[in-house]
Amino acid sequence: MADTTGNTTENEAQQPPQPRKASWKYIGPGIVVAATGVGAGDLVATLIAGSNFGYTLLWAAIIGCLVKISLAEAAGRWHLSTGRTLFDGWASLGRWTTWFFAVYVVVWGFVYGAAAMSSSALPLQALFPDVMDLKWWAIACGLVGLVFVWFNKYAVFEKVMTVLVGVMFLVTVYLAIRVTPNLLDAFAGLLPVLPDEKDSILNTLGLIGGVGGTITLAAYGYWVNAKGWTDTGWMKVMRLDNRVAYATTGIFVIAMLFVGAELLHSANVAIASGDKGLIQLGDILEAEYGAATAKFFLIGFFATSFTSLIGVWHGVSLMFADFVARLAGKEAVKGEEIASGKRERSWPFRAYLLWLTFPPMVLLFQGQPFRLIIIYGVLGAAFMPFLAGTLIWLLNSSRTPREWRNGPLSNIMLAIAGLLFLVLCTKQIWDQPWADFF
């Protein structure tokens, strides 16, 4: 007779988790990753693509979303199928992954902290121009993000992110409708045609790879665990959640491409790259549609920037806490530890929160140091090929249970992602002003 513990037999305990029905009521981590991954810079890149090429590259923006679905699904599948975290998987590939991540997370966090605070400050200064200087708005945004993430657990964080995503959604869809898109031209943009201009291939690849593609794709598995999804019973739910994430991203991207095509391309108006391009767009919207539309847009701009800030403050801090735990000698870090909320109260989590917030404030006053920005650019470009390559490695090896290893479609999509990001990485490294570096 089988041994029993309470009402559970030993045989029952060894059975795989029963799959949960993929229901909309569970959606959460996908909203978080969509909000974090799409920052103000991503919206500007799409806006400029619409401004330069009209609807021609609509197909590229959609392919970009499909590529990100594959990467995030792979990260989530690793967490659920193995019960281990992504960094634990990386560590199993060799010490080189630890060194890469250590350098990346320190340098990237230092520079990104300043960029995220500045991006969140720009729309606030535009909305309240006489209150205080941009750098003080930036510091205020950083401190609010720090306090919010420090004192709240994942459940509250997810609810706030969902509200901010709702604001982003309303603003971008409203603008897309307001500019009255030419739907026939938009449908024509679904055909894979390259613009007849110099560097059109690289511009197209940049649009495919640029929107929603950051370290937050790697953080998705951690948010899946933080939600309480820790085993294969949640696999169907995770896949639905992930598709919702990038359907949402797709709506943001298509809406901004419509705005660029109709408002800027048709009038032959150019805007600056980077976050300041959105401030320029606010001025154009005010001239075309009035102050109320411009202010509504600036509120959406703030929601876009601030979700990226608090998303990184939370997600990358979770990854850093996992990194420190692995260095401390834990051989197999389990998803249950993240689901328990202990990581969000740990000293490594809070130490990285402080690193993202206070040291970058120096850059707000002194400007960004030239050599550090080059290193930041190289590391940032190298992370996505690193993520795609290591996921292919992990999910085709014995580290992953056979049932959950990559199928042909997953391998093809991850290989496409890896090659795409490798080309973009090579171009970005090539374009760096190395002669001035030394």
Side-chain angles (χ1 to χ4, degrees), residues 319-342:
M319 294 184 70
F320 183 77
D322 188 27
F323 164 71
V324 172
R326 193 66 174 72
L327 287 183
K330 287 195 174 185
E331 289 302 319
V333 181
K334 299 293 185 181
E336 285 83 354
E337 294 184 41
I338 298 171
S340 71
K342 292 179 181 177

PDB file of all heavy atoms in Angstrom, residues 319-342:
ATOM      1  N   MET A 319      16.284  40.121 -11.061  1.00  0.00           N
ATOM      2  CA  MET A 319      17.348  39.366 -11.716  1.00  0.00           C
ATOM      3  C   MET A 319      18.667  39.517 -10.972  1.00  0.00           C
ATOM      4  O   MET A 319      19.420  38.551 -10.810  1.00  0.00           O
ATOM      5  CB  MET A 319      17.505  39.839 -13.164  1.00  0.00           C
ATOM      6  CG  MET A 319      16.298  39.533 -14.044  1.00  0.00           C
ATOM      7  SD  MET A 319      16.555  40.001 -15.763  1.00  0.00           S
ATOM      8  CE  MET A 319      17.771  38.752 -16.261  1.00  0.00           C
ATOM      9  N   PHE A 320      18.950  40.729 -10.499  1.00  0.00           N
ATOM     10  CA  PHE A 320      20.196  40.951  -9.760  1.00  0.00           C
ATOM     11  C   PHE A 320      20.190  40.170  -8.442  1.00  0.00           C
ATOM     12  O   PHE A 320      21.215  39.595  -8.051  1.00  0.00           O
ATOM     13  CB  PHE A 320      20.387  42.440  -9.484  1.00  0.00           C
ATOM     14  CG  PHE A 320      21.685  42.759  -8.788  1.00  0.00           C
ATOM     15  CD1 PHE A 320      22.872  42.773  -9.501  1.00  0.00           C
ATOM     16  CD2 PHE A 320      21.727  43.020  -7.425  1.00  0.00           C
ATOM     17  CE1 PHE A 320      24.084  43.050  -8.865  1.00  0.00           C
ATOM     18  CE2 PHE A 320      22.917  43.302  -6.786  1.00  0.00           C
ATOM     19  CZ  PHE A 320      24.100  43.311  -7.511  1.00  0.00           C
ATOM     20  N   ALA A 321      19.046  40.134  -7.771  1.00  0.00           N
ATOM     21  CA  ALA A 321      18.948  39.360  -6.530  1.00  0.00           C
ATOM     22  C   ALA A 321      19.194  37.877  -6.796  1.00  0.00           C
ATOM     23  O   ALA A 321      19.846  37.183  -6.002  1.00  0.00           O
ATOM     24  CB  ALA A 321      17.578  39.570  -5.888  1.00  0.00           C
ATOM     25  N   ASP A 322      18.704  37.381  -7.917  1.00  0.00           N
ATOM     26  CA  ASP A 322      18.943  36.001  -8.309  1.00  0.00           C
ATOM     27  C   ASP A 322      20.424  35.766  -8.591  1.00  0.00           C
ATOM     28  O   ASP A 322      21.008  34.752  -8.204  1.00  0.00           O
ATOM     29  CB  ASP A 322      18.104  35.684  -9.544  1.00  0.00           C
ATOM     30  CG  ASP A 322      18.139  34.214  -9.927  1.00  0.00           C
ATOM     31  OD1 ASP A 322      18.355  33.374  -9.038  1.00  0.00           O
ATOM     32  OD2 ASP A 322      17.940  33.915 -11.115  1.00  0.00           O
ATOM     33  N   PHE A 323      21.045  36.718  -9.282  1.00  0.00           N
ATOM     34  CA  PHE A 323      22.473  36.664  -9.585  1.00  0.00           C
ATOM     35  C   PHE A 323      23.304  36.566  -8.304  1.00  0.00           C
ATOM     36  O   PHE A 323      24.205  35.725  -8.186  1.00  0.00           O
ATOM     37  CB  PHE A 323      22.839  37.918 -10.389  1.00  0.00           C
ATOM     38  CG  PHE A 323      24.308  38.222 -10.479  1.00  0.00           C
ATOM     39  CD1 PHE A 323      25.151  37.437 -11.239  1.00  0.00           C
ATOM     40  CD2 PHE A 323      24.835  39.325  -9.817  1.00  0.00           C
ATOM     41  CE1 PHE A 323      26.500  37.737 -11.340  1.00  0.00           C
ATOM     42  CE2 PHE A 323      26.176  39.633  -9.911  1.00  0.00           C
ATOM     43  CZ  PHE A 323      27.017  38.826 -10.668  1.00  0.00           C
ATOM     44  N   VAL A 324      22.982  37.394  -7.321  1.00  0.00           N
ATOM     45  CA  VAL A 324      23.726  37.382  -6.052  1.00  0.00           C
ATOM     46  C   VAL A 324      23.500  36.069  -5.310  1.00  0.00           C
ATOM     47  O   VAL A 324      24.440  35.488  -4.744  1.00  0.00           O
ATOM     48  CB  VAL A 324      23.322  38.588  -5.176  1.00  0.00           C
ATOM     49  CG1 VAL A 324      23.944  38.482  -3.785  1.00  0.00           C
ATOM     50  CG2 VAL A 324      23.749  39.894  -5.843  1.00  0.00           C
ATOM     51  N   ALA A 325      22.254  35.566  -5.318  1.00  0.00           N
ATOM     52  CA  ALA A 325      21.966  34.297  -4.644  1.00  0.00           C
ATOM     53  C   ALA A 325      22.773  33.166  -5.260  1.00  0.00           C
ATOM     54  O   ALA A 325      23.293  32.292  -4.554  1.00  0.00           O
ATOM     55  CB  ALA A 325      20.472  33.992  -4.728  1.00  0.00           C
ATOM     56  N   ARG A 326      22.909  33.178  -6.580  1.00  0.00           N
ATOM     57  CA  ARG A 326      23.693  32.126  -7.265  1.00  0.00           C
ATOM     58  C   ARG A 326      25.169  32.229  -6.891  1.00  0.00           C
ATOM     59  O   ARG A 326      25.833  31.224  -6.665  1.00  0.00           O
ATOM     60  CB  ARG A 326      23.510  32.261  -8.784  1.00  0.00           C
ATOM     61  CG  ARG A 326      24.012  31.065  -9.571  1.00  0.00           C
ATOM     62  CD  ARG A 326      23.191  29.827  -9.262  1.00  0.00           C
ATOM     63  NE  ARG A 326      23.532  28.686 -10.091  1.00  0.00           N
ATOM     64  CZ  ARG A 326      24.653  27.957 -10.006  1.00  0.00           C
ATOM     65  NH1 ARG A 326      25.565  28.271  -9.118  1.00  0.00           N
ATOM     66  NH2 ARG A 326      24.843  26.918 -10.795  1.00  0.00           N
ATOM     67  N   LEU A 327      25.678  33.463  -6.811  1.00  0.00           N
ATOM     68  CA  LEU A 327      27.076  33.658  -6.412  1.00  0.00           C
ATOM     69  C   LEU A 327      27.313  33.206  -4.974  1.00  0.00           C
ATOM     70  O   LEU A 327      28.411  32.774  -4.629  1.00  0.00           O
ATOM     71  CB  LEU A 327      27.473  35.129  -6.551  1.00  0.00           C
ATOM     72  CG  LEU A 327      27.670  35.672  -7.967  1.00  0.00           C
ATOM     73  CD1 LEU A 327      28.134  37.123  -7.903  1.00  0.00           C
ATOM     74  CD2 LEU A 327      28.686  34.836  -8.746  1.00  0.00           C
ATOM     75  N   ALA A 328      26.268  33.339  -4.159  1.00  0.00           N
ATOM     76  CA  ALA A 328      26.400  32.968  -2.742  1.00  0.00           C
ATOM     77  C   ALA A 328      26.439  31.466  -2.539  1.00  0.00           C
ATOM     78  O   ALA A 328      26.603  30.991  -1.419  1.00  0.00           O
ATOM     79  CB  ALA A 328      25.257  33.572  -1.939  1.00  0.00           C
ATOM     80  N   GLY A 329      26.235  30.695  -3.625  1.00  0.00           N
ATOM     81  CA  GLY A 329      26.425  29.248  -3.517  1.00  0.00           C
ATOM     82  C   GLY A 329      25.190  28.417  -3.652  1.00  0.00           C
ATOM     83  O   GLY A 329      25.255  27.196  -3.497  1.00  0.00           O
ATOM     84  N   LYS A 330      24.033  29.029  -3.934  1.00  0.00           N
ATOM     85  CA  LYS A 330      22.826  28.227  -4.135  1.00  0.00           C
ATOM     86  C   LYS A 330      22.934  27.529  -5.476  1.00  0.00           C
ATOM     87  O   LYS A 330      23.066  28.165  -6.506  1.00  0.00           O
ATOM     88  CB  LYS A 330      21.581  29.098  -4.086  1.00  0.00           C
ATOM     89  CG  LYS A 330      21.223  29.570  -2.681  1.00  0.00           C
ATOM     90  CD  LYS A 330      19.808  30.094  -2.664  1.00  0.00           C
ATOM     91  CE  LYS A 330      19.376  30.428  -1.232  1.00  0.00           C
ATOM     92  NZ  LYS A 330      17.967  30.828  -1.163  1.00  0.00           N
ATOM     93  N   GLU A 331      22.861  26.215  -5.468  1.00  0.00           N
ATOM     94  CA  GLU A 331      23.084  25.446  -6.687  1.00  0.00           C
ATOM     95  C   GLU A 331      21.883  25.472  -7.630  1.00  0.00           C
ATOM     96  O   GLU A 331      22.026  25.451  -8.823  1.00  0.00           O
ATOM     97  CB  GLU A 331      23.429  23.992  -6.326  1.00  0.00           C
ATOM     98  CG  GLU A 331      24.800  23.843  -5.699  1.00  0.00           C
ATOM     99  CD  GLU A 331      25.903  24.364  -6.594  1.00  0.00           C
ATOM    100  OE1 GLU A 331      25.860  24.129  -7.813  1.00  0.00           O
ATOM    101  OE2 GLU A 331      26.824  25.021  -6.082  1.00  0.00           O
ATOM    102  N   ALA A 332      20.694  25.500  -7.090  1.00  0.00           N
ATOM    103  CA  ALA A 332      19.500  25.500  -7.937  1.00  0.00           C
ATOM    104  C   ALA A 332      18.482  26.457  -7.341  1.00  0.00           C
ATOM    105  O   ALA A 332      17.834  26.142  -6.353  1.00  0.00           O
ATOM    106  CB  ALA A 332      18.911  24.099  -8.050  1.00  0.00           C
ATOM    107  N   VAL A 333      18.399  27.637  -7.916  1.00  0.00           N
ATOM    108  CA  VAL A 333      17.477  28.645  -7.420  1.00  0.00           C
ATOM    109  C   VAL A 333      16.089  28.346  -7.977  1.00  0.00           C
ATOM    110  O   VAL A 333      15.914  28.224  -9.179  1.00  0.00           O
ATOM    111  CB  VAL A 333      17.941  30.056  -7.836  1.00  0.00           C
ATOM    112  CG1 VAL A 333      16.984  31.102  -7.295  1.00  0.00           C
ATOM    113  CG2 VAL A 333      19.348  30.302  -7.310  1.00  0.00           C
ATOM    114  N   LYS A 334      15.116  28.229  -7.122  1.00  0.00           N
ATOM    115  CA  LYS A 334      13.773  27.795  -7.522  1.00  0.00           C
ATOM    116  C   LYS A 334      12.829  28.981  -7.697  1.00  0.00           C
ATOM    117  O   LYS A 334      12.952  30.001  -7.030  1.00  0.00           O
ATOM    118  CB  LYS A 334      13.198  26.847  -6.451  1.00  0.00           C
ATOM    119  CG  LYS A 334      14.018  25.576  -6.255  1.00  0.00           C
ATOM    120  CD  LYS A 334      13.968  24.678  -7.479  1.00  0.00           C
ATOM    121  CE  LYS A 334      14.672  23.362  -7.246  1.00  0.00           C
ATOM    122  NZ  LYS A 334      14.643  22.501  -8.442  1.00  0.00           N
ATOM    123  N   GLY A 335      11.858  28.778  -8.598  1.00  0.00           N
ATOM    124  CA  GLY A 335      10.859  29.816  -8.827  1.00  0.00           C
ATOM    125  C   GLY A 335      10.007  30.095  -7.613  1.00  0.00           C
ATOM    126  O   GLY A 335       9.492  31.204  -7.448  1.00  0.00           O
ATOM    127  N   GLU A 336       9.844  29.087  -6.738  1.00  0.00           N
ATOM    128  CA  GLU A 336       9.027  29.283  -5.540  1.00  0.00           C
ATOM    129  C   GLU A 336       9.582  30.382  -4.645  1.00  0.00           C
ATOM    130  O   GLU A 336       8.831  31.068  -3.954  1.00  0.00           O
ATOM    131  CB  GLU A 336       8.922  27.975  -4.739  1.00  0.00           C
ATOM    132  CG  GLU A 336       8.001  26.938  -5.350  1.00  0.00           C
ATOM    133  CD  GLU A 336       8.685  26.108  -6.430  1.00  0.00           C
ATOM    134  OE1 GLU A 336       9.843  26.415  -6.777  1.00  0.00           O
ATOM    135  OE2 GLU A 336       8.041  25.155  -6.945  1.00  0.00           O
ATOM    136  N   GLU A 337      10.912  30.558  -4.660  1.00  0.00           N
ATOM    137  CA  GLU A 337      11.518  31.599  -3.835  1.00  0.00           C
ATOM    138  C   GLU A 337      11.091  32.982  -4.310  1.00  0.00           C
ATOM    139  O   GLU A 337      10.881  33.893  -3.516  1.00  0.00           O
ATOM    140  CB  GLU A 337      13.039  31.477  -3.862  1.00  0.00           C
ATOM    141  CG  GLU A 337      13.564  30.218  -3.209  1.00  0.00           C
ATOM    142  CD  GLU A 337      15.080  30.176  -3.177  1.00  0.00           C
ATOM    143  OE1 GLU A 337      15.698  31.220  -2.901  1.00  0.00           O
ATOM    144  OE2 GLU A 337      15.647  29.106  -3.449  1.00  0.00           O
ATOM    145  N   ILE A 338      10.974  33.150  -5.621  1.00  0.00           N
ATOM    146  CA  ILE A 338      10.521  34.425  -6.165  1.00  0.00           C
ATOM    147  C   ILE A 338       9.036  34.603  -5.902  1.00  0.00           C
ATOM    148  O   ILE A 338       8.577  35.686  -5.544  1.00  0.00           O
ATOM    149  CB  ILE A 338      10.836  34.509  -7.666  1.00  0.00           C
ATOM    150  CG1 ILE A 338      12.352  34.436  -7.879  1.00  0.00           C
ATOM    151  CG2 ILE A 338      10.282  35.789  -8.278  1.00  0.00           C
ATOM    152  CD1 ILE A 338      12.760  34.286  -9.314  1.00  0.00           C
ATOM    153  N   ALA A 339       8.258  33.530  -6.067  1.00  0.00           N
ATOM    154  CA  ALA A 339       6.815  33.592  -5.831  1.00  0.00           C
ATOM    155  C   ALA A 339       6.491  33.962  -4.384  1.00  0.00           C
ATOM    156  O   ALA A 339       5.472  34.606  -4.117  1.00  0.00           O
ATOM    157  CB  ALA A 339       6.166  32.260  -6.185  1.00  0.00           C
ATOM    158  N   SER A 340       7.346  33.598  -3.459  1.00  0.00           N
ATOM    159  CA  SER A 340       7.100  33.878  -2.038  1.00  0.00           C
ATOM    160  C   SER A 340       7.224  35.356  -1.698  1.00  0.00           C
ATOM    161  O   SER A 340       6.758  35.801  -0.650  1.00  0.00           O
ATOM    162  CB  SER A 340       8.079  33.084  -1.168  1.00  0.00           C
ATOM    163  OG  SER A 340       9.400  33.607  -1.295  1.00  0.00           O
ATOM    164  N   GLY A 341       7.871  36.135  -2.570  1.00  0.00           N
ATOM    165  CA  GLY A 341       8.071  37.560  -2.304  1.00  0.00           C
ATOM    166  C   GLY A 341       9.305  37.865  -1.483  1.00  0.00           C
ATOM    167  O   GLY A 341       9.608  39.039  -1.229  1.00  0.00           O
ATOM    168  N   LYS A 342      10.053  36.827  -1.072  1.00  0.00           N
ATOM    169  CA  LYS A 342      11.241  37.064  -0.245  1.00  0.00           C
ATOM    170  C   LYS A 342      12.304  37.863  -1.000  1.00  0.00           C
ATOM    171  O   LYS A 342      13.018  38.670  -0.409  1.00  0.00           O
ATOM    172  CB  LYS A 342      11.827  35.727   0.223  1.00  0.00           C
ATOM    173  CG  LYS A 342      10.947  34.972   1.200  1.00  0.00           C
ATOM    174  CD  LYS A 342      11.582  33.641   1.597  1.00  0.00           C
ATOM    175  CE  LYS A 342      10.687  32.879   2.562  1.00  0.00           C
ATOM    176  NZ  LYS A 342      11.256  31.546   2.911  1.00  0.00           N
TER     177      LYS A 342
END
